[in-house]
Amino acid sequence: MDARVTSTAPGASTADVLTVRGLTVGFGDAPVLENLDLDVHAGEILGFVGGSGTGKTVLMRAILGLLPKRSGTIEVFGTDVDHVSDEERRQVGQRWGVLFQQGALFSSLTVRQNIQVPMREHLRLPRRLMDELALLKLELTGLPRDSADKYPSELSGGMTKRASLARALALDPELVFLDEPTSGLDPIGAAEFDDLIGKLRDTLGLTVYMITHDLDSLYTVCDRIAVLGNRKVLVTGTYGEMLTYDHPWVHAYFRGERARRIES
Amino acid sequence: MNIPLVLEQPKVTASVHGSEMRLTFSGDWTVQRAAEAERLLAGVADRDAGSVVLDLSAVTALDTAGAWLVVRLRDALTAKGRSAAIEGYDDSYTPLFDEVEEHKPHDIAEALPRRGIVAGVEKVGRRTVDVWHDAVDLVAILGQFASGLSACLVNVTRMRGIAVLHHFDQTGRTAVPIIALMSFLIGGIIAQQGAFYLRQFGADQFVVDLVGVLVLREIGVLLTAIMVAGRSGSAFTAEIGSMKMREEIDAMHVIGLRPVEVLVVPRLTALMIALPILAFIADVSALAGAGLVSWAYLGLTPQAFVIRLQEAIDLQTLYIGIVKAPVMALIIGLISCAEGLKVAGSAESLGRQTTVAVVKAIFMVIVVDGLFAVFFAAINI
């Protein structure tokens, strides 16, 4: 059974790969996120926006299980991640990939070894096949072949992002989290990265959860946009729907000077 | 709603019609089962057939790993002069095959490590050059430290007083309990061992001479220096190294700060003040430990111990020990700061440099202690 095509359940739309209900996360007294609901549909590219400090990264880290939550449920691939055995948890780990904001490549391994880490950890593959797959992923993300044996400290910012994406894709995951993938890239590099994400979605059947501040990305590749504010998801919808939503921040963001320049 | 991860075994069945062989693929051809799948395909390229059809119509799931295995097989067949074609896959996999075709990894040239005598000689050569570079680096840092310190002494406002105090606190004050305890125990152990043997000759009293001379001249300062090398030397390397990793040192250069003046001078100054004080504390604690053991083990009262100590040693014995402390502090500080500045981009290099710093510092402290012993013997004190 291909999980991406056939899955039905009452109450949920078909094949939501990620379902968050009533999530509350906080540090100290004030909650950063409160009673937050979110659905991510299979095969879509969801762009996540919100002012600095509204908790976009906090939400992603809570979903990934890197931050404790106070209440709420998180279901990934239909599995409640709080009530699973270690083995099931490992399986979920094989089915998602994460691109951290700073890349988070292992500094003492080469790019090729970095891409092979998930393969080594979860699977037993012959060495030659791992090398071939690593090179394939490397090229797929647009890195030149000679970067395979470079160390992360020898890479430029854009190359670090691509290498990190290649590692996130090592096991052909179904769901990929991208934390500001185009920040720190030049406009041409950022546009290439957007194309790449769209192309990978078509090629590998990915579902993409992308935190971004880049209006271009939102406009060109995202199927749906979610806005985070007031400790919850304010609104989700297409770029067009954002334009008509009445909220001061959303209005300023999507109807501002920069946004108008993109649409023109 | 539940979307389980179903893993179906990959399968291949072959059927031959005349000179055409049809390979029917079924099951999951994904990275999770890639090792199995690769084994299934081993040897297929060697079978005798004029043309081969790779039929994917029964495949339940396919990802880059599976697609690559199929493409690789087709290429291997074509390379042997057979005609081979992939067909029957779902239209949704077309972009995947296009991408895999476009980015095929070709032969991987593995740079094998060289072996044999030449490689051995090369290694020795490299090590020798490294030792020379290390020595040059150390002298360079010593020079920068000297010029930085003299600049600070000429113009006292350039001395970063708060930084010096902070590092004095870190390397000196907080080390007092552990150094006092360790020296107390060592003093006690030396006294007990000495007493055990000297008592056989009725020379109990000379335990005080033994402990006094040994602790004040050698043990007190040496153990303190080793402890400080492990404690503060490693901290210096790790601090400076992680700053180097995160480009903070580059930022200092750009802003116009001199990293050696900001980082090395305060640390070294603080350590050179702290180590003699710590060595003195170590001496006192060791003598106290020895006094306690002598009292318990030999029945030598504290008063008798002190009187005997006054006869056995003079102030010069103490000075000989303490005078070594600033030199040892300088060595520990220089080595650990130099190693910290050598840290490259990776976490592994930080760990390696820290290890190297501690090992080198302890080794050099012992070497210098030996040189001091030779020197003092030569001038008859």
Side-chain angles (χ1 to χ4, degrees), chain B residues 165-178 231 274 277-278 281:
Chain B
L165 276 179
H166 169 76
H167 289 298
F168 178 79
D169 187 62
Q170 290 294 308
T171 58
R173 188 186 63 85
T174 52
V176 167
I178 184 64
R231 216 179 151 273
I277 298 171
L278 288 175
I281 292 169

Side-chain angles (χ1 to χ4, degrees), chain B residues 101-119:
Chain B
E101 298 275 6
E102 193 185 332
H103 300 300
K104 270 189 287 204
H106 299 284
D107 295 331
I108 296 155
E110 194 74 43
L112 286 172
R114 288 202 297 178
R115 290 175 206 284
I117 296 173
V118 179

Side-chain angles (χ1 to χ4, degrees), chain A residues 33-34 36 43 53 67 78 86 98 100 115 118 144 155 164 170 178 183 188 209 219 224 249 253 264:
Chain A
L33 304 170
E34 197 168 22
L36 178 143
L67 282 178
D86 287 350
V98 186
F100 287 97
I115 301 173
L155 300 179
S164 179
L178 309 173
S183 70
I188 301 169
Y209 176 112
Y219 191 66
R224 226 155 50 97
W249 191 85
Y253 193 92
S264 58

